[in-house]
């Protein structure tokens, strides 16, 4: 007598045998206690495993995820990559999203960048002034000074400003971004020298401990400059690790938007 | 079916699958979102079954990519939990419960492929679909699933229960 094996019995339970195979298996099971016991054991193991694994389940964050995914696919729409489907069908098809809006955004960004790059332009002057004010408020130093870490704001001091920069003397370096709006862009740039910088609109900056800096409530683009010399650092965004630096190893675990050898961008979800 | 309909219908199952694989709701959400974005970017079209299979296969690859980062992430989380001042710890009591820990340990005992296969089956994939996803013979799927369940229950159940010849 040829006994049934685990795979055949599992397939029988899963209704994955064809009619002939299933019929033959049932005939065998009717006269073979050994296989019948094995079938019962496999069935019990299956029930145990299914029930146990279901314990892991948590509610899916569908609403937020839906918004985030739609925002991302709309932002990545491209007429050259995504031609309009020629005809609707029951198959999955995609419509082009918001190309006009995207083009407008690109034009605005280009104009802003151009204005900021022009010496003597009002935009450039405003950006420089905001940065300088930020450094002063954060560090308590005079404009133009290059404060060391020890001269930075004391714990808890806050400033509603555009950016700060500081000397990195304490490691590990922890940069914690909290209450960052979904859709914001976090750009981490690895720079020469020993000075780090944080900047972003509508954000508050503060140092909460040696080597630990918080950015709260930012939106749009938040820029972080990290010196290449830093060997132990991590970036947290809304309670999640986005980036760790461990010696020469850099692990980007956040939702990467773009990456180059000098810069990693994350899109906050 | 348009993209949003696909998302609405398939997101919960894909998220559940990723969460069961990774044990981390945030990572599962990330991977699920990334999978749908890729679906859109790559214009994967066809029957619902085909799209669903593509989504799960892609998610499996993304989970594998993240797997190597998990140890480092866990080490950091355990060694230095960082939360913004004034933020309360999230309520993840269920996930941290004893039962959850036992399930995770038992799942981690499985080979990656066995775990991925078993969870795919629990998402309702047929043997044929599983065989295609992992490039194995459909006839071997039952054996692989039975083996995975046996190992899982052996690790999960208290000693003395569900002992078998394996």
């Amino acid at each position: 007598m040829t006994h049934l094996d685990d795979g055949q019995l599992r397939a029988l339970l899963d209704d994955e045998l064809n009619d002939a195979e299933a019929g033959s298996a049932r005939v065998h099971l009717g006269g073979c206690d050994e296989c019948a016991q094995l079938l019962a054991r496999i069935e019990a193991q299956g029930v145990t495993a299914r029930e146990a694994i279901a314990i892991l389940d948590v509610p899916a964050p569908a609403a937020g995820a839906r918004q985030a995914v739609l925002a991302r696919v709309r932002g990545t729409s491209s007429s050259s990559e995504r031609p309009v489907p020629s005809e609707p069908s029951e198959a999955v098809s995609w419509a082009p999203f918001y190309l006009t809006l995207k083009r407008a955004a690109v034009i605005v960004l280009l104009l802003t960048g151009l204005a900021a790059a022009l010496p003597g332009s009002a935009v450039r002057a405003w950006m420089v002034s905001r940065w300088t004010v930020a450094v002063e408020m954060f560090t308590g130093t005079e404009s133009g000074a290059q404060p060391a870490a020890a001269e930075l704001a004391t714990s808890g001091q806050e400033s509603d400003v555009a950016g700060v920069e500081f000397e990195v003397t304490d490691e590990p370096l922890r940069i914690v971004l909290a209450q960052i709006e979904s859709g914001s862009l976090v750009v981490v740039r690895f720079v020469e020298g020993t000075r780090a910088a944080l900047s972003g609109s509508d954000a508050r900056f503060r140092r909460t401990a040696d080597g630990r800096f918080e950015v709260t409530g930012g939106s749009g683009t938040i820029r972080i400059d990290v010196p290449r010399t830093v060997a132990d650092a991590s970036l947290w965004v809304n309670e999640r690790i986005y980036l760790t630096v461990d010696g020469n190893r850099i692990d980007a675990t956040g939702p990467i938007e773009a990456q180059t050898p000098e810069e990693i961008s994350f899109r906050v979800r | 079916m348009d993209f949003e309909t696909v998302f609405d219908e398939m997101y919960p199952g894909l998220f559940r699958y990723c969460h069961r694989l990774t044990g981390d709701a945030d990572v599962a959400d990330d991977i699920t979102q990334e999978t749908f974005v890729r679906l859109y970017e790559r214009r994967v079209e066809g029957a619902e079954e085909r799209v669903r299979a593509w989504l799960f296969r892609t998610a499996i690859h993304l989970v594998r990519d993240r797997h190597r980062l998990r140890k480092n992430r866990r080490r950091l989380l355990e060694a230095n939990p960082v939360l913004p001042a004034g933020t309360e710890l999230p309520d993840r009591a269920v996930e941290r419960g004893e039962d959850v820990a036992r399930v995770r340990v038992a799942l981690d005992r499985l080979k990656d492929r066995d775990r991925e296969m078993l969870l795919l089956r629990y998402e309702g994939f047929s043997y044929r679909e599983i065989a295609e996803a992992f490039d194995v013979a459909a006839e071997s799927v039952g054996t692989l699933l039975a083996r995975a369940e046996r190992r899982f229950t052996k690790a999960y159940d208290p000693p003395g229960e569900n002992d078998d010849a394996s």
Side-chain angles (χ1 to χ4, degrees), chain A residues 6 10 14 66 174 240, chain B residues 8 30 80 127 149-150:
Chain A
D6 287 9
R10 181 71 263 170
D14 286 336
R66 192 177 197 278
R174 299 278 180 260
R240 294 191 45 216
Chain B
D8 291 340
D30 277 353
N80 189 16
Y127 281 21
E149 285 181 337
R150 184 170 64 241

Side-chain angles (χ1 to χ4, degrees), chain A residues 105-156:
Chain A
V106 169
I107 290 169
V108 169
L109 282 172
L110 286 173
L111 289 174
T112 305
L114 184 63
L118 288 174
S121 75
V123 173
R124 184 187 182 92
W126 179 82
M127 291 180 73
V128 169
S129 69
R130 295 299 294 167
W131 182 270
T132 305
V133 168
V135 172
E136 290 171 358
M137 293 182 71
F138 190 66
T139 63
T141 62
E142 296 296 324
S143 175
Q146 298 294 308
E151 297 172 315
L152 288 174
T154 55
S155 178

Side-chain angles (χ1 to χ4, degrees), chain A residues 63-245:
Chain A
R66 192 177 197 278
Q67 288 181 338
V69 168
L70 292 179
R72 285 184 67 191
V73 300
R74 287 162 182 167
T76 58
S77 291
S78 164
S79 56
S80 60
E81 296 172 357
R82 251 179 300 286
V84 180
S86 56
E87 57 185 33
S89 69
E90 291 185 358
V92 176
S93 60
W94 324 111
F97 288 116
Y98 306 105
L99 295 180
T100 304
L101 185 62
K102 183 189 174 190
R103 285 174 186 144
V106 169
I107 290 169
V108 169
L109 282 172
L110 286 173
L111 289 174
T112 305
L114 184 63
L118 288 174
S121 75
V123 173
R124 184 187 182 92
W126 179 82
M127 291 180 73
V128 169
S129 69
R130 295 299 294 167
W131 182 270
T132 305
V133 168
V135 172
E136 290 171 358
M137 293 182 71
F138 190 66
T139 63
T141 62
E142 296 296 324
S143 175
Q146 298 294 308
E151 297 172 315
L152 288 174
T154 55
S155 178
Q157 183 175 343
E158 295 185 6
S159 54
D160 184 9
V161 295
V164 295
E165 70 172 271
F166 52 89
E167 192 82 17
V168 178
T169 57
D170 297 304
E171 291 193 32
L173 174 65
R174 299 278 180 260
I175 298 174
V176 181
L177 277 57
Q179 300 167 33
I180 306 301
E181 288 184 8
S182 177
S184 298
L185 196 65
V186 177
V187 181
V188 180
R189 191 172 53 160
F190 298 97
V191 298
E192 302 301 329
T194 57
R195 299 184 71 78
L198 312 171
S199 67
S201 57
D202 303 324
R204 290 177 297 164
F205 304 84
R206 65 177 181 174
R207 189 185 70 173
T208 55
D210 287 346
R212 188 181 189 282
F213 300 85
E214 280 188 13
V215 180
T216 309
S219 61
T221 299
I222 297 163
R223 296 190 180 279
I224 300 168
D225 287 354
V226 177
R228 292 184 188 279
T229 52
V230 170
D232 187 354
S234 61
L235 167 66
W236 299 70
V237 180
N238 295 346
E239 301 179 22
R240 294 191 45 216
I241 293 181
Y242 271 36
L243 184 81
T244 59
V245 178

